[in-house]
Amino acid sequence: MQTRQAATGTVSIRDLRKSFSVGRKSIEAVSGLNLEVGRGEIFGLLGPNGAGKTTTLRMLATLVPIDSGEAMVAGIDVRRKPKEVRRRIGYVGQLGGADLPATGRENLLLQGRLYGASGSDASRRASELIDLLALGEFADRPARTYSGGQRRRLEVALGIMHKPEILFLDEPSTGLDPQNRANLWDQLRGLNEAGTTIFLTTHYLEEADALANRVAIMDHGKVVAEDTLLELKRRVGGGTFVVRTALPASELEDLRAALANLAPISGAWLDGEALRLRTSDGRAAVAAVAAVAQLLETRDVPLAALSLSEASLDDVFLQETGRSLRDAGQNNAETVR
Amino acid sequence: MSFAVETQLLFRRKMLELMRQPVWIIAGLSSPLLYLALFAPLLQALAGGPGFAGKSVLDVFVPGIIVLMAFGSGMGAGWVTIIEVDTGVLERLTVSPASRFALLLGTVLRDVVWLIIPALLVIFVAIPLGFHPNPAGTVVLLAIASLITAMVSAISGALGIKLRQIGSLAAVVTGLQLPLMLLSGILLPLSLAPSWMVVLAHIDPMYYAVEASRVLANGSIVNGTVVTAFGALGVLTALSLWWATGVYRKALA
Ligand SMILES: Nc1ncnc2c1ncn2[C@@H]1O[C@H](COP(=O)(O)OP(=O)(O)OP(=O)(O)O)[C@@H](O)[C@H]1O
Ligand SMILES: [Mg+2]
């Protein structure tokens, strides 16, 4: 058994379950989840829409009662001592949580005081965060008037106002432009270096790539893969390449099916206007390129671009579930061979 | 952080919210004055008739308005909780270590304050028009009205969390309001009513409040009617606060 001290900043989940009943139907949102997050890690939970990421986070943040299983946050049993857990965590929900009639600064001050800071400490910390997250220009107007990205930054500031030991972030960079996203990532890395464990969910592969030391990929309430990004990508093996043609969208599916049947190709799926192809192992890549080129030639399809790409989290997801991360959200799994 | 400080912080948040919505303020102040301006004159014709024996019409009517205002002041709480569920504010506040009861009280106390201020306005406006309040009685009357506001505010706020939809909330709240108000004899004394209505009125907590408010505004304080009203409303308000705190506690599952 870990001691409380040793467990500072850790999250440990065993066989966690949660079902919701809607009318007479029961939806199993989280079905037997196991995870370990170490102190000082940035841990990313990925998965398609409805995978159960938010529900998991909400259980850990004491917002949703746990049906069964064990969840320890900072070494504290979430089911037994939710109040102690609350003191040690920060939580930035998917919905946000900025109080819209109040100004950004008022939001921060109240948050600080509810976590026990004195008025002057809260005010000092609020100014610090206003600088850190570049909220200065609008900190003193009602949050109702903020743009989506400004609001998101305020919400992140609210989550870290009390310098939590563990920070839970549900899709932190939703609605941010690339520059503010990069900015936020910098802040999160800084926070992490200062000792905060970060547990985040995201849809953005780049976000996990940019931030997370370790990720778990979740699907239908379960973890389907969990490792460092490097290791997960290595496990995919093979190569991925992207083929762009001048074909109209209506004819792409036909081409995809034909490509999927080529011997060196282990998977082919549509990715917008492009086709993504995977080979089973790296050495097959050269043969695959030749085969693809030949097929296009015989079908008289003009090739616009063909590029080799590193395995992405999408590939990992495909490997583990047989579905593309992008498609899984729309329950659209039929594009995979 | 002590419970008292938490409550005070959350109450302040709600007061600021109110003060930034001029529309709420105008609506809150104008509707009781409209009752005085546009309804009270109709009653003048009834002066001296049954139910008004020997009293000024306003002595019967003004306490009724105040009870009506008490209900109205608490009713809106649920609309705001629905918005706060949707925007995640309530979720954020419930992840904080703040007491759930303090969260509830922030809104309830604001609504009580926002009952008392317009109620005082109505009383002062009504005096030159022929209302004869008894000062001590008026204080007790405002206390009874505050209990009603607290009860309604807690119930409405919790229903907002449970129902999550403005349409359903509006249906439930106004569906409750109408029979409770009509049976309480707010607008006209129930002594004008047929006996079956009087019997029904006795299961309406508002009835006791209205009866007591009429005795209080112009007469004795220690009186059976007043004690009954305090007892009934005190118990109901406590139950409502307790139930609503439970809803906040389980709130966001
Ligand atoms: N309060 C609720 N009542 C009923 N069903 C719910 C509730 N919350 C979540 N669910 C269901 O549980 C499943 C998991 O939802 P969850 O919000 O955890 O997914 P997610 O991985 O966060 O998805 P997204 O990427 O879209 O945010 C979904 O099928 C969802 O419909
Ligand atoms: Mg989610």
Side-chain angles (χ1 to χ4, degrees):
Chain A
M1 198 73 226
Q2 283 174 314
T3 66
R4 175 71 55 86
Q5 192 55 40
T8 303
T10 64
V11 177
S12 161
I13 303 172
R14 253 178 261 301
D15 199 27
L16 199 64
R17 281 168 199 278
K18 177 74 201 177
S19 303
F20 293 104
S21 47
V22 178
R24 253 189 260 153
K25 266 180 61 185
S26 169
I27 300 170
E28 190 157 52
V30 176
S31 37
L33 197 70
N34 292 291
L35 281 178
E36 296 286 337
V37 179
R39 176 183 196 168
E41 265 194 288
I42 301 185
F43 185 82
L45 191 57
L46 284 122
N49 290 134
K53 305 179 298 293
T54 297
T55 306
T56 302
L57 232 60
R58 286 165 53 89
M59 281 192 278
L60 294 175
T62 77
L63 284 167
V64 180
I66 293 169
D67 282 354
S68 70
E70 189 188 68
M72 306 288 281
V73 170
I76 302 162
D77 188 331
V78 177
R79 297 172 86 173
R80 293 222 188 90
K81 297 181 172 168
K83 228 179 154 168
E84 267 190 54
V85 171
R86 285 184 202 124
R87 269 181 237 290
R88 290 155 168 259
I89 62 167
Y91 171 81
V92 182
Q94 194 166 6
L95 292 174
D99 186 17
L100 302 182
T103 69
R105 193 185 301 273
E106 284 165 355
N107 265 284
L108 290 167
L109 289 176
L110 176 66
Q111 181 84 348
R113 300 228 44 207
L114 288 179
Y115 281 87
S118 70
S120 58
D121 284 349
S123 153
R124 201 171 316 122
R125 174 74 176 151
S127 304
E128 197 178 299
L129 286 176
I130 286 167
D131 281 347
L132 205 67
L133 289 165
L135 311 174
E137 218 176 285
F138 44 85
D140 295 303
R141 18 182 255 243
R144 188 185 299 295
T145 66
Y146 291 11
S147 77
Q150 293 170 337
R151 197 148 119 193
R152 199 63 187 152
R153 272 139 69 198
L154 171 63
E155 288 157 0
V156 171
L158 286 168
I160 60 180
M161 182 70 190
H162 57 290
K163 301 189 176 162
E165 186 176 305
I166 303 171
L167 178 61
F168 294 99
L169 296 162
D170 202 354
E171 301 189 16
S173 62
T174 302
L176 295 187
D177 61 28
Q179 190 188 338
N180 277 311
R181 188 185 298 176
N183 214 337
L184 176 66
W185 290 348
D186 281 344
Q187 297 311 326
L188 292 178
R189 277 189 218 103
L191 205 69
N192 177 247
E193 275 154 26
T196 307
T197 304
I198 297 179
F199 189 130
L200 62 92
T201 75
T202 180
H203 282 293
Y204 297 112
L205 309 182
E206 320 87 276
E207 186 157 61
D209 246 334
L211 285 177
N213 316 114
R214 227 154 46 82
V215 300
I217 298 179
M218 201 174 170
D219 190 33
H220 296 308
K222 282 196 171 73
V223 169
V224 292
E226 181 193 353
D227 216 323
T228 63
L229 276 173
L230 212 66
E231 181 53 36
L232 282 179
K233 287 181 184 174
R234 211 182 52 78
R235 212 190 290 170
V236 172
T240 299
F241 45 107
V242 181
V243 176
R244 287 179 193 279
T245 63
L247 279 185
S250 55
E251 290 170 37
L252 277 177
E253 171 52 29
D254 189 40
L255 178 64
R256 186 203 65 78
L259 287 168
N261 280 324
L262 291 173
I265 304 291
S266 63
W269 65 104
L270 295 173
D271 182 7
E273 304 269 272
L275 285 160
R276 286 174 79 83
L277 307 175
R278 224 177 70 222
T279 60
S280 46
D281 72 88
R283 278 163 304 178
V286 176
V289 170
V292 169
Q294 197 185 352
L295 182 91
L296 294 178
E297 177 95 46
T298 51
R299 295 189 145 220
D300 207 14
V301 175
L303 180 67
L306 189 155
S307 54
L308 209 61
S309 81
E310 193 196 359
S312 68
L313 279 163
D314 203 358
D315 301 318
V316 177
F317 189 74
L318 185 76
Q319 160 111 353
E320 304 295 337
T321 66
R323 291 177 300 143
S324 162
L325 195 54
R326 266 164 266 243
D327 299 333
Q330 288 96 52
N331 286 329
N332 175 11
E334 71 278 352
T335 49
V336 179
R337 185 172 75 178
Chain B
M1 179 97 332
S2 79
F3 173 74
V5 177
E6 276 171 14
T7 306
Q8 183 245 320
L9 288 166
L10 293 162
F11 167 68
R12 231 194 85 178
R13 168 173 100 94
K14 283 287 155 186
M15 279 313 284
L16 283 174
E17 173 188 279
L18 169 69
M19 285 177 335
R20 286 186 186 142
Q21 316 244 12
V23 180
W24 290 7
I25 296 182
I26 293 165
L29 294 178
S30 63
S31 58
L33 295 179
L34 284 174
Y35 269 110
L36 276 185
L38 303 179
F39 193 72
L42 295 178
L43 294 172
Q44 295 298 343
L46 301 174
F52 293 91
K55 291 181 191 164
S56 137
V57 170
L58 285 182
D59 287 346
V60 176
F61 185 56
V62 170
I65 298 184
I66 288 174
V67 172
L68 194 66
M69 289 165 67
F71 201 101
S73 171
M75 243 169 67
W79 272 255
V80 179
T81 49
I82 289 178
I83 293 170
E84 292 191 346
V85 169
D86 287 347
T87 54
V89 183
L90 214 53
E91 184 175 86
R92 171 169 63 86
L93 294 173
T94 33
V95 181
S96 84
S99 139
R100 274 69 185 127
F101 187 42
L103 271 176
L104 172 70
L105 272 188
T107 303
V108 166
L109 292 178
R110 190 272 312 271
D111 288 345
V112 167
V113 168
W114 192 235
L115 156 75
I116 290 175
I117 294 170
L120 287 173
L121 178 74
V122 166
I123 289 170
F124 283 113
V125 170
I127 289 173
L129 303 175
F131 178 48
H132 310 96
N134 164 297
T138 304
V139 171
V140 181
L141 166 62
L142 288 178
I144 287 182
S146 298
L147 284 178
I148 294 175
T149 300
M151 173 174 77
V152 175
S153 171
I155 292 175
S156 171
L159 280 177
I161 294 177
K162 278 190 115 44
L163 298 174
R164 303 273 172 104
Q165 293 193 7
I166 296 207
S168 323
L169 178 71
V172 173
V173 171
T174 52
L176 283 174
Q177 181 199 21
L178 199 62
L180 289 180
M181 286 299 138
L182 289 176
L183 278 178
S184 67
I186 273 183
L187 298 177
L188 290 169
L190 269 180
S191 48
L192 299 171
S195 56
W196 62 266
M197 253 182 93
V198 178
V199 173
L200 267 186
H202 281 80
I203 55 170
D204 177 358
M206 296 300 147
Y207 166 76
Y208 299 97
V210 172
E211 287 294 293
S213 67
R214 293 202 170 121
V215 180
L216 275 168
N218 43 42
S220 50
I221 293 171
V222 186
N223 170 298
T225 321
V226 176
V227 174
T228 312
F230 253 114
L233 288 171
V235 170
L236 287 174
T237 304
L239 280 175
S240 311
L241 290 172
W242 170 77
W243 173 72
T245 306
V247 173
Y248 268 78
R249 196 162 279 144
K250 291 196 235 88
L252 305 150

